Amino acid sequence: MSLPTPTHSSVLFTWEIEEFSKLKARRLYSKIFYCGGYEWRLLVFPKGNDNEHLSVYLDVPDWAKLAPGWSRYARFSISVVNQIHNAYTESKRTEHKFDANGSDWGFTSFLPLIKLNDPKEGFLVNDTIVLEAGVTIPSSYDSRKETGDNGLGNVEADIAGTTSQVRFLSYWVSSVALLLLEKIHSLHEGTYVKFSMKGRALPTMLLESFAEFIASMSSTKVNELNEEALRLAANLIEDFEQVGLDLRWLKQRLEEAKVVKKHWESVNTVKSCTSGLEVARATVDSCTSGLEVARAKVRELEDGLAKAKLEGEVMSRELPKSLGVNDSVLKDIV
């Protein structure tokens, strides 16, 4: 979802498209969201815009109803979220001056359809894909830009003329960090309330480090965390709290992660024990089967022995009494 107020100069908008494989429409529009006082929406071609790729664009709704000569400028990123491992999320960034001749702008060849539609890749989970759009409207391109006003405003540019840093609250951060910091602000409004630092370089460095830390934690699976990683994360949270960030929500998530990790380890222990038990049972079954064979053989030998004894006794009774074992064949004759 977008941030709650329509006047933010930056916003992160999330769009979940369910039953994606069943879509029949050639093009699909998201609901409208607001940034910089403007209405925006995402435009997607689920089967590709005359190609074999997912096509995604940022679009100006009802552009035909706007005043003649209107234009607006935006820098934006579009991402297809990897729902299995966030680190593999596909993202593209660009900027564009929107006007009547170009009311939508984006990426015709965003992601190959064969990769998108493969559940193993992580972009299509439960037949749902998740799109994120991070939009930034420099303050020099506010609502006055609809009538052609221009200026430098609240954006810094490097030598090449591309934007390097933008405003977040009263501080400067990179556009990449801005998207994540704004998302945290929308979900946990009290995070930055007590954050107040003089100067420029230090608060920028701290906010950038905080954004990197959150990005790292967001892309790390619970079962990949060891005790050292958990300890370091807890220490970093304490450090960020020292400069005024309210991270009670993050500490709660970390505690939840510890509980989940402990449960996961218990499950793995049970699986290991279960596997060992199955091996033991198979061994016992094998031994039991062998024992039954051995018992049958013993019974067979016992039956054979009994039969031999019986035959021996019969033959002993039928032997001539004058011919003993030690007698010669011609005893009493020679």
Side-chain angles (χ1 to χ4, degrees), residues 8-11 33 35-36 38-41 58-60 70-77 93-99 102-107 133-142 145 155 163 166 175:
H8 281 173
S9 60
S10 295
V11 69
F33 63 96
C35 183
Y38 303 129
E39 291 185 344
W40 304 92
R41 64 184 176 183
L58 183 64
D59 178 72
V60 176
W70 71 272
S71 68
R72 66 182 67 162
Y73 171 83
R75 285 181 291 102
F76 61 95
S77 67
R93 294 177 173 81
T94 189
E95 56 188 74
H96 182 63
K97 178 182 177 182
F98 295 82
D99 55 30
S103 60
D104 61 65
W105 192 257
F107 310 97
V135 184
T136 297
I137 310 297
S139 61
S140 57
Y141 294 90
D142 57 18
K145 187 60 183 173
V155 178
T163 301
V166 293
S175 57

Side-chain angles (χ1 to χ4, degrees), residues 148-205:
D149 187 27
N150 199 354
L152 295 177
N154 198 25
V155 178
E156 286 197 341
D158 60 18
I159 296 176
T162 57
T163 301
S164 59
Q165 289 188 328
V166 293
R167 284 282 191 177
F168 171 66
L169 302 178
S170 58
Y171 306 101
W172 292 97
V173 296
S174 69
S175 57
V176 175
L178 176 67
L179 297 178
L180 192 51
L181 295 171
E182 284 281 13
K183 186 172 184 178
I184 294 171
H185 186 52
S186 68
L187 296 173
H188 310 283
E189 295 183 357
T191 300
Y192 310 103
V193 171
K194 297 181 180 180
F195 181 76
S196 178
M197 301 187 69
K198 295 181 179 180
R200 170 169 170 170
L202 186 57
T204 296
M205 180 184 68

